[in-house]
Amino acid sequence: MFAGVLGYPVAHSRSPAMMNAAFAELGLRWRYLKLPVPPERFAETARALPGSRYRGANVTIPHKIAASAIADELTDAAEAIGAANTLVFENGRILADNTDAGGLLDALGEPVPSTALVLGAGGAGRAAAWALREAGARVAVWNRTAERAAALASELVIRHVRDPEPSELVVNATSVGLAGAEQPEDAARALGLAGVEAPTVLVELVYGSGPTPLSRWASARRARVVDGLEILVRQGARSLELWTGRPAPLEVMRKAVIAP
Ligand code: NAP
């Protein structure tokens, strides 16, 4: 069988290494491939995959909204978030799920803090805000472009804030820190966190080859940091479990995702 990641571009995806290591560990003769597909070819390609022995696919930028639109069936997460990162092909039907939401909660662990501030109102912010609200946290959202935070908050029936406020949990769902070059204080300032009491826990969705600027800012203030790579592993683990029905070998996936 096959699985793969549909995106544009997908050249730098770490998912093939992570998933192929997991399939090998489970003794499955499956292959996970990069599937670079431009937006205008997404729907026809996704619909053709089951005919080529694909059991499912991950979906990344820029196709997550289109993936939820082509599905025959959506999980609650995919429906509420309006975007999917996982497709399962079953009996001629396409099921779409959003494992970014559950993956974040798996990486965060229990107990879920009672107050959460989500920074960012793009796709990742949306999934994070929905997941944390479902898990019982009081969620507020902040975004550089305030109108987007207001729109997301009204859709999810959560609060939006013009300026970040102290919160037990902060989620960085922006691309601040992606280049990795900023100083910790500069990253905090870009996100309106300078002068705000640090959280107990930072969920850092951004990941790279080492600690991000914001994770260094939070660690220096004794916050626990939930790493973006762990979230990548956990969302992938949920996808793999949907396709194979087998428990994901997390340790093998963690090692594969950081291998050069
Ligand atoms: P997106 O839809 O393009 O949203 C980008 C967000 O970043 C927007 O809220 C944008 O604010 C904000 N932003 C960009 N530059 C900024 C700056 N200089 N200062 C303040 N805010 C800024 O992207 P996405 O899909 O939500 O992804 C967001 C991040 O999460 C990315 O770094 C991505 O790699 C990461 N991610 C990680 C995982 C994982 O598994 N670890 C999963 C998904 C995403 P405006 O609205 O003002 O432009």
Side-chain angles (χ1 to χ4, degrees):
M1 294 293 282
F2 293 96
V5 53
L6 290 154
Y8 202 67
V10 283
H12 295 100
S13 173
R14 297 184 190 209
S15 294
M18 178 172 78
M19 293 297 194
N20 285 319
F23 291 154
E25 176 69 14
L26 293 174
L28 295 170
R29 292 167 58 90
W30 290 31
R31 290 298 296 162
Y32 185 103
L33 303 173
K34 288 177 188 170
L35 301 167
V37 175
E40 64 275 16
R41 305 290 299 275
F42 173 77
E44 61 176 323
T45 305
R47 289 198 182 99
L49 290 176
S52 302
R53 298 186 52 231
Y54 273 75
R55 168 72 175 134
N58 285 125
V59 179
T60 188
I61 287 173
H63 303 313
K64 289 187 181 184
I65 293 171
S68 69
I70 63 156
D72 299 300
E73 199 181 325
L74 297 168
T75 60
D76 289 349
E79 177 144 27
I81 296 162
N85 75 331
T86 304
L87 299 175
V88 183
F89 307 128
E90 203 151 63
N91 304 325
R93 290 168 61 79
I94 301 179
L95 169 75
D97 193 5
N98 189 316
T99 67
D100 286 332
L104 183 152
L105 295 178
D106 292 343
L108 175 62
E110 298 275 354
V112 172
S114 55
T115 57
L117 174 66
V118 174
L119 306 172
R126 225 180 149 77
W130 181 82
L132 291 163
R133 191 203 71 183
E134 287 299 290
R138 288 196 304 282
V139 182
V141 61
W142 172 90
N143 195 55
R144 176 179 63 176
T145 310
E147 298 73 33
R148 289 186 81 193
L152 176 59
S154 114
E155 219 179 297
L156 294 184
V157 197
I158 56 175
R159 293 169 55 235
H160 64 99
V161 290
R162 289 251 160 207
D163 297 301
E165 55 187 36
S167 190
E168 284 168 70
L169 168 66
V170 166
V171 180
N172 180 21
T174 73
S175 26
V176 169
L178 205 51
E182 300 101 321
Q183 290 303 312
E185 299 300 331
D186 293 338
R189 199 170 306 115
L191 294 168
L193 293 172
V196 176
E197 191 186 331
T200 318
V201 185
L202 172 74
V203 168
E204 172 60 296
L205 284 173
V206 175
Y207 57 83
S209 51
T212 65
L214 197 66
S215 70
R216 288 192 279 139
W217 174 85
S219 296
R221 288 158 182 78
R222 299 179 189 282
R224 173 167 77 94
V225 175
V226 178
D227 191 77
L229 279 174
E230 179 64 12
I231 296 165
L232 182 71
V233 167
R234 295 302 193 119
Q235 60 80 29
R238 283 184 171 235
S239 301
L240 179 134
E241 288 174 0
L242 283 169
W243 301 326
T244 66
R246 305 268 300 273
L250 291 172
E251 214 36 63
V252 166
M253 294 171 79
R254 285 187 188 111
K255 283 205 183 98
V257 92
I258 56 170

